[in-house]
Amino acid sequence: MYDVDEIRREFPILDRRIGDKRLVYLDNAATSQKPRRVLDALTKYYERHNANIHRGVHRLAEEATAAYEESRAKVARFLGAPGTTGLVFTRGTTESINLVAYAWGRKNLREGDEVLLTEVEHHSNLVPWQLAAQATGARLRFVPIREDGTLDMEEAGRLIGPKTKLVGCIHASNVLATINPVVKLARMAREAGALMLVDGAQSAPHLPVDVEALGCDFFACSGHKMLGPTGVGVLWGRPEILEEMDPFLGGGEMIREVRLDHSTYNDLPYKFEAGTMNIAQAVGLGAAVDYLGELGMENVREHERRLGEYAYGRLSELEGIEIYGPKEERTGLVSFSLPDVHPHDLSQLLDEEGIAIRSGHHCAQPLMRRLGVPATARASFYLYNVEEEVDRLVEALARAREFFRPYAI
Amino acid sequence: MYDVDEIRREFPILDRRIGDKRLVYLDNAATSQKPRRVLDALTKYYERHNANIHRGVHRLAEEATAAYEESRAKVARFLGAPGTTGLVFTRGTTESINLVAYAWGRKNLREGDEVLLTEVEHHSNLVPWQLAAQATGARLRFVPIREDGTLDMEEAGRLIGPKTKLVGCIHASNVLATINPVVKLARMAREAGALMLVDGAQSAPHLPVDVEALGCDFFACSGHKMLGPTGVGVLWGRPEILEEMDPFLGGGEMIREVRLDHSTYNDLPYKFEAGTMNIAQAVGLGAAVDYLGELGMENVREHERRLGEYAYGRLSELEGIEIYGPKEERTGLVSFSLPDVHPHDLSQLLDEEGIAIRSGHHCAQPLMRRLGVPATARASFYLYNVEEEVDRLVEALARAREFFRPYAI
Amino acid sequence: MSMMRELYTQVILDHYQRPRNRGKLEDAELEEHLLNPLCGDEVTVCATFDGDKVADVKFSGRGCSISQASASMMTERLVGKSREEARAQIEGFKAMMIGEREFPETDDLAALKGVIRYPSRIKCATLAWTAFQRGLGIR
Amino acid sequence: MSMMRELYTQVILDHYQRPRNRGKLEDAELEEHLLNPLCGDEVTVCATFDGDKVADVKFSGRGCSISQASASMMTERLVGKSREEARAQIEGFKAMMIGEREFPETDDLAALKGVIRYPSRIKCATLAWTAFQRGLGIR
Ligand SMILES: Cc1ncc(COP(=O)(O)O)c(C=O)c1O
Ligand SMILES: Cc1ncc(COP(=O)(O)O)c(C=O)c1O
């Protein structure tokens, strides 16, 4: 049974007050809150086991190494990876994608090659490819969206061709709440001989994910968006592909033999883990995916789907509101604009009532341009949010609008 | 007054027992332990303020941003940086140096150029330059060491010339306990028109550091070695130089304006902080440098100098021991070999007595080769270690040797 | 919403509703576009000069009430100023916005005082001013 | 030091002290060098064959007591084995070292059982075996 009250008790910050109001945290797409057990895992790690890993023969080093590697196994299982060999810890989605853009992209892209992305990408899955394109002469192309925010798959079919070397796609959009057909894209990519990278920053926290079933070659996500600590993320890659890639960061741990003039590199996944890693954070992420596994990602998805639907309905009551993305098959977030009130002013007024939403371009400026707005407001839900919070949001929006309406331009 | 008993009470892990023995943690050069106040800062951050930074208008985002930026200011002050503009958070020393090797190195190095390092470098300040050299055709050269482990500065003088574009040097050696003359090297580099990078992973935790006084252009260090959390480090760079560098990781936050085909980048230091940063870890590092500042780095240095001297003396009593590095002007660590016992076996036997030391190549394989050994044992001290712990170490070493002597080859 | 009244003062809402000097200038001698990377707001300021004196200033772009009101107030203040005076005026304002200088009680600008409590909004309030500063060649 | 006796058994210390088949082979058909990146220990194994059967095996390199003793025991076991048998033998040993298979009580190899408790040392114990495996063309 999915007991949201019990779940809420796990999150100390949900008792926080803003002024005299109880916090309503609806900025989960930016970062999630952390359950007590994740904080406890961090504290326990530091108070009992902290040591540098892999190279030490003493007890703490053994324990820290075991904890770190266990986390790797847990995260691999959580993502449906067939083993731990392809599971690399990074700082987050952004570093994961940059790793691919450097270590795979710089080595394999040439003038005339194409990388196919979409108009919906987060800057994290766009800027690294712009830099790789500048360095190699490859060209970026983009799958457009249709009016409802879903990908134009016919156009995708036309765009994928023999020049395509990699297709990169956001799995769940952090703005439109769409879930993109990455399985289909991966199939099309494979048929064209291209690799498929999935930006799972907004899917891994909210949907059951199975990288094998997705059929992708790379999958990136961030710990901090899925109940884990800041400072840790994941790149999963097919071992055969990772094996052939150049190293990315050089340093300790990723090497086998170092001479002054050249070096050879360690086995996977260590080849991509240079220097002292974010050990405690990886351990914390292990505790987070344990918890998500206990709750069941199907249940998390169902809870958020319902809440998102409820929010979509309640927000639609507001006269003149514009909600972005499709009506159906949405994740648990809603981006919107209200006439008369700039999103910044909106979130500020909401903040006074203890309600945290985000306003801005959500690191998706090209998508904002496509939608024809400089910014939107966004309420994003997670497994601990409840309908009463949606109600407080809607009421506060109505009041904010009353406040601003007299001054509307 | 430097009260080491009081200090020890701040570190929960020092009460840890290994079997029935109290832990003696002498692996501080690998990573340091964490005082309660750093753990508390992490917990407080997550329980009260956790949010994504810079882009949010709500209260938690304001608080988290303020905490993160305050930490930046604290760390800048701790390192003697003239402001926060050049202070970039990274995962650690390794990422910091790679950042320079990619964003400065790939842009500025050409065939015929030289990067001058030393024979003492940690893999972190060697492998990134090997990769940059491979990519650009630049050549690496190395300042040799003299018999006592100090740099041969005359040879350095001959090696620095018009071809030299960057000089990189480990500030304090993690193997030899030397403190290298980086001020002098920086001056020589400047005169030759080269930049100076200092690997401060082993100096920032142990010595008063002032990047202005050092006269360097880049300074890198790791939070986890200086009482801070894992997963955070620092690159300080002269703003004028950072300004001219290419971006490194692409993604959110480091951009100004993103279009599908190109982007412009944010101001310093944000230009080099792509994606969601290690926010909590940066906050934790802020608490760590607060504590170091309270204790006084002069006092920390003095405590460790004495302890290192005491350890050097006591260890010298062991017949046939070889201690690496010079006799004088050492930091608080001692690398050594005992005849008849392989360092691995040594640390294993010591572990049974609760004593954590490190054995291996210490991520300095070229230096090991120079010393003519595959590995050494290393005991490294920090501000909470005491003479009794040195005594326990020396006694355990004597016993380990008794154990192995009959089987010596 | 009493805190809100401190931030969204009557003066701000008035400038937001009826921005002064909104638009573009033909033959602008100074023209500078600036984007707030954190939220996507943007502003373009332009100015004509009469010798060393600012003859006319206009601003355009889109943004929140704070950024629009602040831009509007800025244009009122810069007309008739020499480059040097404009520069000083802008620096003074930016110093107020980071709490390094007092807001003059009698000046309309004091309406922006409430923004200081919201660091993420300070960039909104200073956006047009920074654009003008850059237009004057100061980085 | 009683735990120590479990790890450093008499058998291990004996092999450490008097390693069997230490050295190099002229005309080795199989020769493989392997480095343990975590500690710098290295081993070279070489072998000659008589048809499909291992005729002679030797190892050289430097390392801790565990890696040396384990290499020594390996050489004793591989002589006379076919390539296929050698491969199976090595796989079996590696399975024991990660706890996936029992150590045969009566075999000297059981002396290495204590190593399982120290994951960082498992690589020491398997170093020579992995080298031989690679020499057989298995990666
Ligand atoms: C001198 C030196 N440089 C660089 C490093 C690398 O630091 P990190 O592993 O934190 O990236 C270390 C520590 O391992 C070191 O001792
Ligand atoms: C879809 C998407 N991709 C990538 C990212 C970047 O993740 P991070 O900032 O953790 O690197 C985010 C979150 O900001 C996101 O929502």
Side-chain angles (χ1 to χ4, degrees), chain B residues 342 344-345 348-349 352-353 360-361 365 372 374-375 399 403-404 406-407 409, chain D residues 1 3-5 7-8 10 13 17 37 39-41 63-65 118 121 124:
Chain B
H342 187 280
H344 253 184
D345 293 319
Q348 187 101 46
L349 288 166
E352 286 303 320
E353 307 208 25
H361 52 59
Q365 290 182 5
R399 275 193 296 274
F403 180 90
F404 261 99
Y407 309 100
I409 325 160
Chain D
M1 286 214 182
M3 307 275 269
M4 276 302 98
R5 287 285 164 201
L7 178 63
Y8 293 113
Q10 209 53 49
L13 291 167
Q17 190 177 17
C39 64
D41 281 359
C64 61
S65 58
Y118 304 93
R121 305 302 297 278
C124 306

mmCIF file of all heavy atoms in Angstrom, chain B residues 342 344-345 348-349 352-353 360-361 365 372 374-375 399 403-404 406-407 409, chain D residues 1 3-5 7-8 10 13 17 37 39-41 63-65 118 121 124:
data_model
loop_
_atom_site.group_PDB
_atom_site.id
_atom_site.type_symbol
_atom_site.label_atom_id
_atom_site.label_comp_id
_atom_site.label_asym_id
_atom_site.label_seq_id
_atom_site.Cartn_x
_atom_site.Cartn_y
_atom_site.Cartn_z
ATOM 1 N N HIS B 342 56.523 -7.043 2.747
ATOM 2 C CA HIS B 342 55.902 -6.272 1.677
ATOM 3 C C HIS B 342 54.900 -5.280 2.293
ATOM 4 O O HIS B 342 54.201 -5.629 3.243
ATOM 5 C CB HIS B 342 55.173 -7.231 0.735
ATOM 6 C CG HIS B 342 54.634 -6.575 -0.504
ATOM 7 N ND1 HIS B 342 53.459 -5.855 -0.518
ATOM 8 C CD2 HIS B 342 55.100 -6.521 -1.768
ATOM 9 C CE1 HIS B 342 53.232 -5.393 -1.739
ATOM 10 N NE2 HIS B 342 54.225 -5.792 -2.521
ATOM 11 N N HIS B 344 52.007 -4.318 1.580
ATOM 12 C CA HIS B 344 50.650 -4.849 1.682
ATOM 13 C C HIS B 344 50.472 -5.713 2.903
ATOM 14 O O HIS B 344 49.476 -5.624 3.618
ATOM 15 C CB HIS B 344 50.357 -5.714 0.454
ATOM 16 C CG HIS B 344 49.430 -5.056 -0.486
ATOM 17 N ND1 HIS B 344 48.956 -5.655 -1.609
ATOM 18 C CD2 HIS B 344 48.884 -3.834 -0.454
ATOM 19 C CE1 HIS B 344 48.167 -4.826 -2.237
ATOM 20 N NE2 HIS B 344 48.106 -3.713 -1.565
ATOM 21 N N ASP B 345 51.441 -6.603 3.094
ATOM 22 C CA ASP B 345 51.363 -7.489 4.256
ATOM 23 C C ASP B 345 51.457 -6.677 5.533
ATOM 24 O O ASP B 345 50.792 -6.950 6.523
ATOM 25 C CB ASP B 345 52.476 -8.538 4.179
ATOM 26 C CG ASP B 345 52.269 -9.500 3.010
ATOM 27 O OD1 ASP B 345 51.113 -9.902 2.782
ATOM 28 O OD2 ASP B 345 53.252 -9.830 2.328
ATOM 29 N N GLN B 348 48.216 -4.983 6.291
ATOM 30 C CA GLN B 348 47.233 -5.961 6.742
ATOM 31 C C GLN B 348 47.470 -6.352 8.198
ATOM 32 O O GLN B 348 46.539 -6.410 8.994
ATOM 33 C CB GLN B 348 47.328 -7.202 5.869
ATOM 34 C CG GLN B 348 46.245 -8.201 6.138
ATOM 35 C CD GLN B 348 45.161 -8.113 5.102
ATOM 36 O OE1 GLN B 348 45.436 -8.051 3.918
ATOM 37 N NE2 GLN B 348 43.923 -8.093 5.544
ATOM 38 N N LEU B 349 48.706 -6.573 8.536
ATOM 39 C CA LEU B 349 49.019 -6.932 9.925
ATOM 40 C C LEU B 349 48.677 -5.770 10.854
ATOM 41 O O LEU B 349 48.145 -5.963 11.941
ATOM 42 C CB LEU B 349 50.496 -7.310 10.050
ATOM 43 C CG LEU B 349 50.860 -8.661 9.416
ATOM 44 C CD1 LEU B 349 52.371 -8.805 9.265
ATOM 45 C CD2 LEU B 349 50.320 -9.817 10.267
ATOM 46 N N GLU B 352 44.956 -5.454 11.733
ATOM 47 C CA GLU B 352 44.496 -6.326 12.814
ATOM 48 C C GLU B 352 44.666 -5.667 14.172
ATOM 49 O O GLU B 352 44.027 -6.050 15.137
ATOM 50 C CB GLU B 352 45.270 -7.648 12.805
ATOM 51 C CG GLU B 352 44.876 -8.586 11.699
ATOM 52 C CD GLU B 352 43.392 -8.937 11.719
ATOM 53 O OE1 GLU B 352 42.842 -9.133 12.817
ATOM 54 O OE2 GLU B 352 42.800 -8.990 10.627
ATOM 55 N N GLU B 353 45.539 -4.682 14.224
ATOM 56 C CA GLU B 353 45.717 -3.987 15.496
ATOM 57 C C GLU B 353 44.975 -2.642 15.488
ATOM 58 O O GLU B 353 45.199 -1.789 16.345
ATOM 59 C CB GLU B 353 47.214 -3.782 15.770
ATOM 60 C CG GLU B 353 47.961 -5.105 15.679
ATOM 61 C CD GLU B 353 49.200 -5.133 16.553
ATOM 62 O OE1 GLU B 353 49.241 -4.381 17.556
ATOM 63 O OE2 GLU B 353 50.117 -5.889 16.227
ATOM 64 N N GLY B 360 51.199 0.980 -1.122
ATOM 65 C CA GLY B 360 50.941 0.951 -2.559
ATOM 66 C C GLY B 360 51.792 1.983 -3.255
ATOM 67 O O GLY B 360 52.822 2.411 -2.730
ATOM 68 N N HIS B 361 51.320 2.404 -4.437
ATOM 69 C CA HIS B 361 52.123 3.354 -5.204
ATOM 70 C C HIS B 361 51.664 4.783 -4.971
ATOM 71 O O HIS B 361 52.243 5.717 -5.512
ATOM 72 C CB HIS B 361 52.115 3.013 -6.688
ATOM 73 C CG HIS B 361 50.730 2.834 -7.258
ATOM 74 N ND1 HIS B 361 49.782 3.822 -7.228
ATOM 75 C CD2 HIS B 361 50.152 1.777 -7.864
ATOM 76 C CE1 HIS B 361 48.672 3.387 -7.812
ATOM 77 N NE2 HIS B 361 48.861 2.139 -8.190
ATOM 78 N N GLN B 365 53.143 6.325 -9.628
ATOM 79 C CA GLN B 365 53.958 5.229 -10.163
ATOM 80 C C GLN B 365 55.318 5.689 -10.698
ATOM 81 O O GLN B 365 56.329 5.041 -10.439
ATOM 82 C CB GLN B 365 53.178 4.456 -11.236
ATOM 83 C CG GLN B 365 52.021 3.638 -10.656
ATOM 84 C CD GLN B 365 51.276 2.833 -11.722
ATOM 85 O OE1 GLN B 365 51.667 2.797 -12.883
ATOM 86 N NE2 GLN B 365 50.182 2.198 -11.323
ATOM 87 N N GLY B 372 62.764 3.184 -7.127
ATOM 88 C CA GLY B 372 63.180 1.794 -7.277
ATOM 89 C C GLY B 372 62.391 0.820 -6.428
ATOM 90 O O GLY B 372 62.900 -0.234 -6.042
ATOM 91 N N PRO B 374 58.293 -1.034 -5.839
ATOM 92 C CA PRO B 374 56.960 -1.140 -6.438
ATOM 93 C C PRO B 374 55.932 -0.407 -5.594
ATOM 94 O O PRO B 374 54.913 0.042 -6.089
ATOM 95 C CB PRO B 374 56.684 -2.644 -6.428
ATOM 96 C CG PRO B 374 57.556 -3.197 -5.357
ATOM 97 C CD PRO B 374 58.730 -2.289 -5.203
ATOM 98 N N ALA B 375 56.210 -0.264 -4.324
ATOM 99 C CA ALA B 375 55.230 0.287 -3.399
ATOM 100 C C ALA B 375 55.947 0.702 -2.122
ATOM 101 O O ALA B 375 57.049 0.231 -1.840
ATOM 102 C CB ALA B 375 54.162 -0.752 -3.089
ATOM 103 N N ARG B 399 56.222 -5.778 15.724
ATOM 104 C CA ARG B 399 55.614 -7.105 15.818
ATOM 105 C C ARG B 399 55.413 -7.731 14.434
ATOM 106 O O ARG B 399 55.659 -8.920 14.239
ATOM 107 C CB ARG B 399 54.277 -7.031 16.553
ATOM 108 C CG ARG B 399 54.413 -7.103 18.064
ATOM 109 C CD ARG B 399 53.070 -7.356 18.735
ATOM 110 N NE ARG B 399 52.147 -6.248 18.505
ATOM 111 C CZ ARG B 399 52.102 -5.150 19.271
ATOM 112 N NH1 ARG B 399 52.907 -5.013 20.313
ATOM 113 N NH2 ARG B 399 51.241 -4.199 18.991
ATOM 114 N N PHE B 403 56.827 -11.291 12.986
ATOM 115 C CA PHE B 403 55.972 -12.316 12.391
ATOM 116 C C PHE B 403 56.544 -12.793 11.063
ATOM 117 O O PHE B 403 56.556 -13.976 10.763
ATOM 118 C CB PHE B 403 54.573 -11.720 12.181
ATOM 119 C CG PHE B 403 53.573 -12.677 11.569
ATOM 120 C CD1 PHE B 403 52.779 -13.488 12.366
ATOM 121 C CD2 PHE B 403 53.413 -12.760 10.190
ATOM 122 C CE1 PHE B 403 51.863 -14.364 11.808
ATOM 123 C CE2 PHE B 403 52.497 -13.634 9.618
ATOM 124 C CZ PHE B 403 51.720 -14.432 10.434
ATOM 125 N N PHE B 404 57.008 -11.835 10.260
ATOM 126 C CA PHE B 404 57.431 -12.190 8.901
ATOM 127 C C PHE B 404 58.887 -12.602 8.792
ATOM 128 O O PHE B 404 59.269 -13.283 7.852
ATOM 129 C CB PHE B 404 57.144 -11.035 7.933
ATOM 130 C CG PHE B 404 55.870 -11.251 7.171
ATOM 131 C CD1 PHE B 404 54.689 -10.637 7.564
ATOM 132 C CD2 PHE B 404 55.847 -12.101 6.078
ATOM 133 C CE1 PHE B 404 53.508 -10.862 6.875
ATOM 134 C CE2 PHE B 404 54.675 -12.327 5.379
ATOM 135 C CZ PHE B 404 53.495 -11.702 5.776
ATOM 136 N N PRO B 406 60.868 -14.810 9.941
ATOM 137 C CA PRO B 406 61.262 -16.200 9.674
ATOM 138 C C PRO B 406 61.055 -16.612 8.228
ATOM 139 O O PRO B 406 61.680 -17.560 7.758
ATOM 140 C CB PRO B 406 60.322 -17.015 10.578
ATOM 141 C CG PRO B 406 59.803 -16.069 11.594
ATOM 142 C CD PRO B 406 59.849 -14.717 10.990
ATOM 143 N N TYR B 407 60.176 -15.913 7.527
ATOM 144 C CA TYR B 407 59.870 -16.332 6.160
ATOM 145 C C TYR B 407 60.544 -15.453 5.124
ATOM 146 O O TYR B 407 60.282 -15.560 3.942
ATOM 147 C CB TYR B 407 58.352 -16.306 5.941
ATOM 148 C CG TYR B 407 57.650 -17.066 7.027
ATOM 149 C CD1 TYR B 407 57.049 -16.398 8.091
ATOM 150 C CD2 TYR B 407 57.631 -18.458 7.017
ATOM 151 C CE1 TYR B 407 56.429 -17.092 9.109
ATOM 152 C CE2 TYR B 407 57.016 -19.164 8.035
ATOM 153 C CZ TYR B 407 56.424 -18.479 9.084
ATOM 154 O OH TYR B 407 55.828 -19.170 10.091
ATOM 155 N N ILE B 409 62.675 -13.870 2.401
ATOM 156 C CA ILE B 409 63.323 -14.562 1.285
ATOM 157 C C ILE B 409 64.779 -14.118 1.172
ATOM 158 O O ILE B 409 65.071 -12.937 1.290
ATOM 159 C CB ILE B 409 62.611 -14.255 -0.044
ATOM 160 C CG1 ILE B 409 61.101 -14.127 0.214
ATOM 161 C CG2 ILE B 409 62.928 -15.325 -1.058
ATOM 162 C CD1 ILE B 409 60.356 -13.388 -0.846
ATOM 163 N N MET D 1 47.030 -11.595 17.255
ATOM 164 C CA MET D 1 47.314 -11.913 15.852
ATOM 165 C C MET D 1 46.714 -13.229 15.420
ATOM 166 O O MET D 1 47.183 -13.879 14.490
ATOM 167 C CB MET D 1 48.834 -11.972 15.634
ATOM 168 C CG MET D 1 49.459 -10.609 15.638
ATOM 169 S SD MET D 1 50.847 -10.521 14.495
ATOM 170 C CE MET D 1 51.373 -8.832 14.785
ATOM 171 N N MET D 3 43.691 -13.741 14.093
ATOM 172 C CA MET D 3 43.082 -13.564 12.780
ATOM 173 C C MET D 3 44.157 -13.699 11.707
ATOM 174 O O MET D 3 43.920 -14.217 10.627
ATOM 175 C CB MET D 3 42.483 -12.167 12.652
ATOM 176 C CG MET D 3 41.541 -11.784 13.749
ATOM 177 S SD MET D 3 39.889 -12.381 13.404
ATOM 178 C CE MET D 3 39.251 -10.931 12.537
ATOM 179 N N MET D 4 45.310 -13.193 12.049
ATOM 180 C CA MET D 4 46.411 -13.203 11.103
ATOM 181 C C MET D 4 46.802 -14.609 10.694
ATOM 182 O O MET D 4 47.132 -14.875 9.562
ATOM 183 C CB MET D 4 47.618 -12.508 11.734
ATOM 184 C CG MET D 4 47.570 -11.031 11.589
ATOM 185 S SD MET D 4 47.480 -10.547 9.848
ATOM 186 C CE MET D 4 45.747 -10.262 9.649
ATOM 187 N N ARG D 5 46.709 -15.497 11.669
ATOM 188 C CA ARG D 5 47.061 -16.890 11.380
ATOM 189 C C ARG D 5 46.080 -17.502 10.391
ATOM 190 O O ARG D 5 46.414 -18.432 9.668
ATOM 191 C CB ARG D 5 47.088 -17.718 12.665
ATOM 192 C CG ARG D 5 48.273 -17.424 13.552
ATOM 193 C CD ARG D 5 49.534 -18.057 12.976
ATOM 194 N NE ARG D 5 50.711 -17.474 13.614
ATOM 195 C CZ ARG D 5 51.924 -17.491 13.082
ATOM 196 N NH1 ARG D 5 52.124 -18.052 11.886
ATOM 197 N NH2 ARG D 5 52.927 -16.928 13.697
ATOM 198 N N LEU D 7 44.753 -15.808 7.960
ATOM 199 C CA LEU D 7 45.115 -15.279 6.641
ATOM 200 C C LEU D 7 46.479 -15.819 6.225
ATOM 201 O O LEU D 7 46.640 -16.399 5.160
ATOM 202 C CB LEU D 7 45.130 -13.749 6.687
ATOM 203 C CG LEU D 7 45.531 -13.074 5.382
ATOM 204 C CD1 LEU D 7 44.543 -13.397 4.286
ATOM 205 C CD2 LEU D 7 45.622 -11.563 5.583
ATOM 206 N N TYR D 8 47.450 -15.590 7.101
ATOM 207 C CA TYR D 8 48.811 -16.007 6.764
ATOM 208 C C TYR D 8 49.052 -17.416 7.283
ATOM 209 O O TYR D 8 49.743 -17.624 8.275
ATOM 210 C CB TYR D 8 49.812 -15.013 7.359
ATOM 211 C CG TYR D 8 49.718 -13.657 6.703
ATOM 212 C CD1 TYR D 8 49.275 -12.550 7.414
ATOM 213 C CD2 TYR D 8 50.072 -13.487 5.374
ATOM 214 C CE1 TYR D 8 49.191 -11.299 6.807
ATOM 215 C CE2 TYR D 8 49.982 -12.237 4.760
ATOM 216 C CZ TYR D 8 49.543 -11.156 5.484
ATOM 217 O OH TYR D 8 49.459 -9.937 4.876
ATOM 218 N N GLN D 10 50.372 -21.328 7.377
ATOM 219 C CA GLN D 10 51.702 -21.890 7.207
ATOM 220 C C GLN D 10 51.992 -22.177 5.731
ATOM 221 O O GLN D 10 53.074 -21.921 5.232
ATOM 222 C CB GLN D 10 51.789 -23.192 8.039
ATOM 223 C CG GLN D 10 53.187 -23.500 8.530
ATOM 224 C CD GLN D 10 53.799 -22.313 9.280
ATOM 225 O OE1 GLN D 10 53.172 -21.733 10.162
ATOM 226 N NE2 GLN D 10 55.024 -21.931 8.914
ATOM 227 N N LEU D 13 52.848 -18.959 3.921
ATOM 228 C CA LEU D 13 54.163 -18.461 4.289
ATOM 229 C C LEU D 13 55.259 -19.354 3.717
ATOM 230 O O LEU D 13 56.324 -18.879 3.316
ATOM 231 C CB LEU D 13 54.262 -18.351 5.819
ATOM 232 C CG LEU D 13 53.363 -17.232 6.390
ATOM 233 C CD1 LEU D 13 53.227 -17.351 7.896
ATOM 234 C CD2 LEU D 13 53.885 -15.851 6.000
ATOM 235 N N GLN D 17 58.038 -18.117 1.146
ATOM 236 C CA GLN D 17 59.457 -18.256 1.460
ATOM 237 C C GLN D 17 60.188 -19.054 0.381
ATOM 238 O O GLN D 17 61.315 -18.715 0.004
ATOM 239 C CB GLN D 17 59.577 -18.992 2.806
ATOM 240 C CG GLN D 17 60.976 -18.990 3.365
ATOM 241 C CD GLN D 17 60.997 -19.673 4.726
ATOM 242 O OE1 GLN D 17 60.064 -20.392 5.083
ATOM 243 N NE2 GLN D 17 62.049 -19.435 5.483
ATOM 244 N N PRO D 37 46.645 -2.525 -10.769
ATOM 245 C CA PRO D 37 46.717 -1.060 -10.802
ATOM 246 C C PRO D 37 46.518 -0.448 -9.420
ATOM 247 O O PRO D 37 46.868 0.696 -9.181
ATOM 248 C CB PRO D 37 45.583 -0.655 -11.748
ATOM 249 C CG PRO D 37 44.637 -1.795 -11.752
ATOM 250 C CD PRO D 37 45.461 -3.032 -11.483
ATOM 251 N N CYS D 39 47.854 -1.378 -6.532
ATOM 252 C CA CYS D 39 48.966 -1.369 -5.595
ATOM 253 C C CYS D 39 50.325 -1.378 -6.276
ATOM 254 O O CYS D 39 51.343 -1.174 -5.629
ATOM 255 C CB CYS D 39 48.882 -2.563 -4.656
ATOM 256 S SG CYS D 39 49.052 -4.122 -5.530
ATOM 257 N N GLY D 40 50.343 -1.629 -7.578
ATOM 258 C CA GLY D 40 51.628 -1.609 -8.258
ATOM 259 C C GLY D 40 52.315 -2.957 -8.334
ATOM 260 O O GLY D 40 53.361 -3.089 -8.962
ATOM 261 N N ASP D 41 51.725 -3.971 -7.698
ATOM 262 C CA ASP D 41 52.324 -5.298 -7.806
ATOM 263 C C ASP D 41 52.250 -5.778 -9.249
ATOM 264 O O ASP D 41 51.316 -5.455 -9.968
ATOM 265 C CB ASP D 41 51.570 -6.303 -6.927
ATOM 266 C CG ASP D 41 51.991 -6.171 -5.476
ATOM 267 O OD1 ASP D 41 52.864 -5.335 -5.191
ATOM 268 O OD2 ASP D 41 51.419 -6.886 -4.635
ATOM 269 N N GLY D 63 55.686 -8.844 -5.363
ATOM 270 C CA GLY D 63 54.386 -8.623 -4.754
ATOM 271 C C GLY D 63 54.377 -9.095 -3.324
ATOM 272 O O GLY D 63 55.399 -9.523 -2.784
ATOM 273 N N CYS D 64 53.217 -9.022 -2.743
ATOM 274 C CA CYS D 64 53.059 -9.367 -1.341
ATOM 275 C C CYS D 64 53.049 -10.885 -1.187
ATOM 276 O O CYS D 64 53.058 -11.624 -2.165
ATOM 277 C CB CYS D 64 51.768 -8.782 -0.809
ATOM 278 S SG CYS D 64 50.321 -9.406 -1.680
ATOM 279 N N SER D 65 53.016 -11.345 0.033
ATOM 280 C CA SER D 65 53.067 -12.776 0.305
ATOM 281 C C SER D 65 51.900 -13.496 -0.357
ATOM 282 O O SER D 65 52.061 -14.601 -0.884
ATOM 283 C CB SER D 65 53.035 -13.015 1.814
ATOM 284 O OG SER D 65 51.860 -12.444 2.366
ATOM 285 N N TYR D 118 39.090 -10.320 2.922
ATOM 286 C CA TYR D 118 39.763 -9.034 2.663
ATOM 287 C C TYR D 118 39.683 -8.713 1.174
ATOM 288 O O TYR D 118 40.627 -8.983 0.428
ATOM 289 C CB TYR D 118 41.219 -9.116 3.110
ATOM 290 C CG TYR D 118 41.373 -9.511 4.545
ATOM 291 C CD1 TYR D 118 41.545 -10.842 4.912
ATOM 292 C CD2 TYR D 118 41.304 -8.546 5.546
ATOM 293 C CE1 TYR D 118 41.658 -11.210 6.241
ATOM 294 C CE2 TYR D 118 41.409 -8.905 6.885
ATOM 295 C CZ TYR D 118 41.584 -10.239 7.226
ATOM 296 O OH TYR D 118 41.679 -10.594 8.539
ATOM 297 N N ARG D 121 42.495 -7.796 -1.035
ATOM 298 C CA ARG D 121 43.586 -8.738 -1.259
ATOM 299 C C ARG D 121 43.221 -9.803 -2.289
ATOM 300 O O ARG D 121 44.094 -10.553 -2.728
ATOM 301 C CB ARG D 121 43.999 -9.408 0.064
ATOM 302 C CG ARG D 121 44.362 -8.447 1.186
ATOM 303 C CD ARG D 121 45.500 -7.515 0.810
ATOM 304 N NE ARG D 121 46.764 -8.171 0.533
ATOM 305 C CZ ARG D 121 47.629 -8.571 1.463
ATOM 306 N NH1 ARG D 121 47.352 -8.420 2.727
ATOM 307 N NH2 ARG D 121 48.763 -9.119 1.105
ATOM 308 N N CYS D 124 45.184 -9.593 -5.247
ATOM 309 C CA CYS D 124 46.545 -10.109 -5.081
ATOM 310 C C CYS D 124 46.543 -11.611 -5.360
ATOM 311 O O CYS D 124 47.399 -12.135 -6.072
ATOM 312 C CB CYS D 124 47.056 -9.882 -3.652
ATOM 313 S SG CYS D 124 46.953 -8.180 -3.071
#
